[in-house]
Amino acid sequence: MLIINTETKLFGLLGYPLSQSLSPIMQNAAFKERKLNKIYIPVEVLPQNLESVVKGISKMNFEGFNVTKPYKIDIMKYLDEMDEYAKIIGAVNTVTVKDGKLKGYNTDGTGFLKSFEKETGSKIEGKTVFILGSGGAARAICMTLALNNAKKIYICNRTFKKAVLLSKDINKQMHDMNRQMHDINRQIKDISIAIPMEYNEMHNALNDSDVLINTTSVGMYPDVGTSPLDINLLKSNLIVCDIVYNPIKTKLLKDAGLKGCRTISGIYMFVYQGAEAFEIWTGIKAPTDKMLSIVENSL
Ligand code: ATR
């Protein structure tokens, strides 16, 4: 039985609104499994209160928290330090609190990468990836794919100019990193790994891709009958990933299954991003199987 006392350390999820999140159930199950005197609570924060809530957390018995929509970018101005990887992505989903100091991390992209590698048994290196969406999740995933040597990343979004902006940011980041690694006198080749795509041009790009990742919310409960793209655009050699995890098998994944594609549910990314946050906070290996089964049972 959980006994809450003055030694209990607090963790939380900051966002608005929070009704859908399974992070509290998953993290509390992990703390219990590892017999840690820690609890994780949802903290719904209005935009005008973000700064004062974060300041308060830094003075309390919190050891860390997660950040979700719409604060993954805004939170950065209240942090004392940023992990290099979170800096590159430009967004934070995990924060540690130590001696009143806040440090930001990002586990969204690595959570996706781990889910991909574990579920397919292969690496993203050398693969051509087609991304649907250009929001925060797409940004973390695209940067991670680029840093892990994906060959090409097509970015397709309903609002095309956001796909253009995200592609520019990724290419600039890769170019800057490449420049830092090379002798200033050497010729730097132009790396344009990310390519923005119009919706009506997706056919050819999909044919050229090994992996499709839906980062939009299309297909999420309660709109379980909708898919972000036409089933006829899917070919059997495409690995189809959805970051939506409710339902576990979205319409997109069902369609992909019918076409003979290998599919990866968003539930794995959700669990791995949470497992990495748990490990950053505690320094202890996360009970990933336990976390996965509790999330599966809650859906
Ligand atoms: P997240 O942090 O989960 O990535 P977000 O930053 O709000 O969320 O981004 C949501 C993404 O899903 C956006 O790319 C959005 O497209 P727009 O830029 O055009 O808004 C995309 N999206 C959301 N609903 C969509 C829909 N019904 N059809 C197509 N794309 C949609």
Side-chain angles (χ1 to χ4, degrees):
M1 203 185 77
L2 175 69
I3 296 168
I4 297 173
N5 53 30
T6 53
E7 298 302 310
T8 307
K9 298 301 178 200
L10 301 181
F11 294 82
L13 173 64
L14 272 57
Y16 188 87
L18 285 180
S19 53
Q20 292 274 340
S21 179
L22 291 178
S23 289
I25 288 171
M26 176 173 75
Q27 295 293 356
N28 284 317
F31 291 147
K32 190 173 171 203
E33 181 73 10
R34 292 288 184 252
K35 300 185 170 49
L36 298 171
N37 186 4
K38 302 180 192 297
I39 56 171
Y40 186 107
I41 53 172
V43 185
E44 210 164 58
V45 186
L46 289 169
Q48 64 269 30
N49 296 333
L50 183 64
E51 182 174 10
S52 45
V53 168
V54 171
K55 288 222 163 95
I57 280 178
S58 74
K59 306 274 182 284
M60 291 170 68
N61 50 337
F62 270 83
E63 283 187 339
F65 57 92
N66 284 130
V67 186
T68 188
K69 265 190 211 172
Y71 302 130
K72 287 185 184 181
I73 293 172
D74 289 349
I75 191 72
M76 294 193 291
K77 39 182 193 281
Y78 308 122
L79 303 177
D80 300 289
E81 211 186 326
M82 288 268 289
D83 172 64
E84 280 308 310
Y85 185 69
K87 262 191 220 166
I88 291 171
I89 291 173
V92 161
N93 79 328
T94 299
V95 177
T96 54
V97 185
K98 225 179 232 168
D99 305 322
K101 296 272 183 248
L102 305 173
K103 181 170 178 181
Y105 297 81
N106 193 308
T107 69
D108 285 329
T110 42
F112 173 79
L113 191 69
K114 213 165 182 182
S115 75
F116 181 86
E117 288 177 348
K118 283 233 175 188
E119 294 310 303
T120 63
S122 65
K123 298 266 174 211
I124 210 73
E125 185 170 354
K127 294 203 169 46
T128 296
V129 185
F130 187 99
I131 301 275
L132 266 177
S134 297
R139 175 173 293 268
I141 291 173
C142 287
M143 285 290 183
T144 306
L145 300 179
L147 290 171
N148 283 276
N149 302 317
K151 183 174 161 195
K152 214 187 288 176
I153 307 171
Y154 292 113
I155 302 179
C156 185
N157 194 47
R158 178 178 61 182
T159 312
F160 181 60
K161 64 173 193 260
K162 277 167 72 183
V164 173
L165 278 179
L166 179 55
S167 301
K168 271 193 187 149
D169 282 356
I170 290 161
N171 291 334
K172 181 176 183 314
Q173 189 63 248
M174 297 312 289
H175 184 82
D176 290 350
M177 287 176 66
N178 202 36
R179 183 192 290 269
Q180 281 166 17
M181 278 164 14
H182 283 78
D183 175 47
I184 202 79
N185 294 320
R186 272 173 61 187
Q187 182 75 33
I188 296 165
K189 75 171 175 34
D190 178 36
I191 320 163
S192 293
I193 182 175
I195 303 161
M197 274 287 128
E198 297 268 16
Y199 251 59
N200 57 10
E201 286 172 1
M202 68 165 85
H203 181 76
N204 287 343
L206 273 166
N207 271 336
D208 182 41
S209 300
D210 307 299
V211 183
L212 161 68
I213 309 170
N214 173 44
T215 73
T216 76
S217 50
V218 180
M220 188 190 286
Y221 179 85
D223 295 320
V224 296
T226 55
S227 168
L229 53 76
D230 190 301
I231 185 170
N232 294 315
L233 289 167
L234 302 169
K235 58 190 172 81
S236 64
N237 59 341
L238 204 57
I239 301 173
V240 180
C241 315
D242 208 329
I243 73 159
V244 171
Y245 64 88
N246 185 9
I248 296 176
K249 226 175 172 75
T250 56
K251 170 86 162 62
L252 170 66
L253 296 188
K254 284 183 184 163
D255 285 352
L258 289 174
K259 286 285 185 172
C261 307
R262 195 164 195 171
T263 62
I264 304 177
S265 168
I267 195 171
Y268 297 104
M269 171 180 165
F270 177 67
V271 169
Y272 287 120
Q273 63 78 31
E276 194 181 325
F278 178 98
E279 289 172 0
I280 289 169
W281 292 325
T282 66
I284 296 170
K285 192 168 163 30
T288 315
D289 292 344
K290 179 80 197 173
M291 293 166 89
L292 179 61
S293 69
I294 196 111
V295 175
E296 273 171 344
N297 293 336
S298 307
L299 286 168

